[in-house]
Amino acid sequence: MTRRMTRFAAACFVGATAVATLIGQSASPQQAVDAAYGKYKTLQEGKNADYIPALAKVDPNLFGIALVTVDGKVYTAGDVGTEVSIQSISKVFTMAQVIQEQGLESIEKRIGVDATGARFNSIIAVESVKVVQGAGAPEMNPLVNPGAISATSMVKGSSANEVWGKIIGFHNDAAGRQLTVLQDVYKSEADTNQRNQAIGALMLAYGYIKDNWQQAVDLYTRQCSIGVNAKDLAMMAATLAGGGTNPVTHKKVLDADKVPGVLAVMATAGLYDDSGKWLYRTGLPAKSGVGGGIIAVSPGKFGIAVVSPPLDDAGNSVRAQKAIADISNSLGGNPYAARTKAGTQ
Ligand code: DON
């Protein structure tokens, strides 16, 4: 080894050690990411979503992991370049956009922040709120479709184009690059989203949406079709982990004092009816999408994302859940695991 190579290797070691210290563990993030990739690469469980025809055609073997620390270091394994549709993960960022624009209480008062305990497109959940609390009661959640379509309707703008420009702009800023809509997915979902149209109409009838439910459903469908890869998603998660500022571009996306509310909603409902199980195992606020992505946030430490299309019965990527749990647990990412002075967890 030449002297220059030795210096480079030493610098790499110091860099990795500094990041390991930052995230509170002696294991290197790259080792943790590589280990999870190797362990789950050949796992064949779950099934692509097929209720949107275009999603059934995505390669089920696609598997990419990315972790971005709050100081902007990026660790990856597998395919982190291929884009899938962001799907329900977009609900987090549109909700965050409304919170940024109109305050934390805007979502809480209009939609509510209680977990529904039901599937993402449940109409029974809307009806039971109506029966028990009355039409328009803020007892819904912005991460399931009725609340998410309502949140999209709350983004201010005088035309659909203006609202869309703000929605895609917010996602771009969080990801740190210009994202685009996957037109095949958008068309496929727009052709088959009659259930979401019914939900949109119901939300107008019950007063959660104030006007033009058709526009809200169309923009919601577009936001679900935004193309992202594992690295984009990890960057978006790291933006939340670092208090609302993108760790690489340093652009502020969301005020730091609004981030805890966003993470709290992710913790209660990010993986739908399996959110409790997920939180029990990892402690991480997270959000899944039927495109196969999951983002998870270790506040103050890192954002992590995995893309792998096959889903379990609750609609959450099988490999993504396993890989994120392993990586976070080996890096000390669980925010509920307090460190004692002795350094134990
Ligand atoms: O509303 C829908 O059907 C989708 N575009 C989004 C659903 C979704 O990602 C649910 N997530 N796990």
Side-chain angles (χ1 to χ4, degrees):
M1 206 188 261
T2 65
R3 196 179 292 171
R4 189 190 274 178
M5 282 164 76
T6 312
R7 271 206 307 269
F8 178 69
C12 290
F13 178 76
V14 170
T17 309
V19 171
T21 307
L22 170 76
I23 61 180
Q25 288 289 302
S26 52
S28 121
Q30 189 61 55
Q31 281 169 350
V33 166
D34 286 341
Y37 183 75
K39 186 169 169 191
Y40 298 117
K41 192 170 158 12
T42 53
L43 180 76
Q44 301 289 331
E45 271 176 39
K47 190 171 160 295
N48 281 28
D50 57 7
Y51 74 96
I52 300 170
L55 299 188
K57 296 187 195 141
V58 179
D59 178 6
N61 295 313
L62 171 61
F63 185 30
I65 305 178
L67 182 148
V68 179
T69 61
V70 293
D71 62 354
K73 298 212 167 46
V74 180
Y75 303 91
T76 66
D79 184 344
V80 293
T82 299
E83 291 183 352
V84 294
S85 50
I86 189 169
Q87 295 297 339
S88 284
I89 299 169
S90 67
K91 292 167 178 170
V92 171
F93 295 91
T94 303
M95 166 184 71
Q97 177 169 26
V98 174
I99 287 173
Q100 176 65 11
E101 192 176 74
Q102 300 165 42
L104 277 160
E105 60 293 342
S106 62
I107 288 282
E108 195 180 358
K109 277 194 187 142
R110 171 89 73 93
I111 297 168
V113 289
D114 272 333
T116 64
R119 285 191 70 86
F120 69 90
N121 56 2
S122 170
I123 289 174
I124 289 177
V126 180
E127 281 305 300
S128 44
V129 167
K130 178 172 180 274
V131 170
V132 179
Q133 321 267 352
E139 297 288 338
M140 321 277 292
N141 184 287
L143 299 186
V144 291
N145 291 14
I149 294 168
S150 304
T152 299
S153 82
M154 291 172 72
V155 177
K156 291 190 197 299
S158 56
S159 66
N161 274 348
E162 191 185 335
V163 176
W164 175 247
K166 287 171 66 179
I167 291 174
I168 187 80
F170 197 88
H171 284 73
N172 290 342
D173 289 346
R177 78 171 179 107
Q178 200 87 36
L179 303 170
T180 54
V181 167
L182 301 176
Q183 289 299 332
D184 58 329
V185 177
Y186 170 65
K187 189 168 176 345
S188 182
E189 182 158 0
D191 286 346
T192 53
N193 70 351
Q194 289 76 21
R195 187 182 178 99
N196 282 342
Q197 294 181 45
I199 291 174
L202 201 57
M203 297 309 272
L204 177 78
Y206 293 172
Y208 297 95
I209 293 180
K210 299 299 174 196
D211 60 14
N212 206 346
W213 64 264
Q214 292 93 335
Q215 176 176 304
V217 173
D218 180 55
L219 292 175
Y220 165 81
T221 308
R222 267 199 248 176
Q223 77 178 47
C224 287
S225 308
I226 294 171
V228 281
N229 58 39
K231 203 174 143 202
D232 296 325
L233 289 173
M235 203 65 76
M236 296 168 95
T239 297
L240 295 173
T245 296
N246 182 297
V248 171
T249 65
H250 304 294
K251 180 159 187 173
K252 187 170 95 174
V253 182
L254 183 63
D255 296 334
D257 63 353
K258 299 190 170 94
V259 172
V262 170
L263 297 181
V265 181
M266 291 169 71
T268 52
L271 267 68
Y272 306 114
D273 29 339
D274 274 355
S275 298
K277 253 185 250 164
W278 168 261
L279 202 61
Y280 190 75
R281 288 178 192 148
T282 67
L284 299 181
K287 184 73 202 85
S288 64
V290 288
I294 296 184
I295 62 168
V297 176
S298 180
K301 293 183 175 175
F302 58 81
I304 183 167
V306 174
V307 168
S308 168
L311 311 177
D312 64 14
D313 290 343
N316 302 314
S317 166
V318 177
R319 281 187 188 140
Q321 290 177 78
K322 290 181 187 291
I324 293 173
D326 275 19
I327 294 166
S328 174
N329 290 339
S330 74
L331 295 178
N334 188 331
Y336 295 116
R339 296 200 131 240
T340 64
K341 270 214 170 120
T344 52
Q345 286 190 319

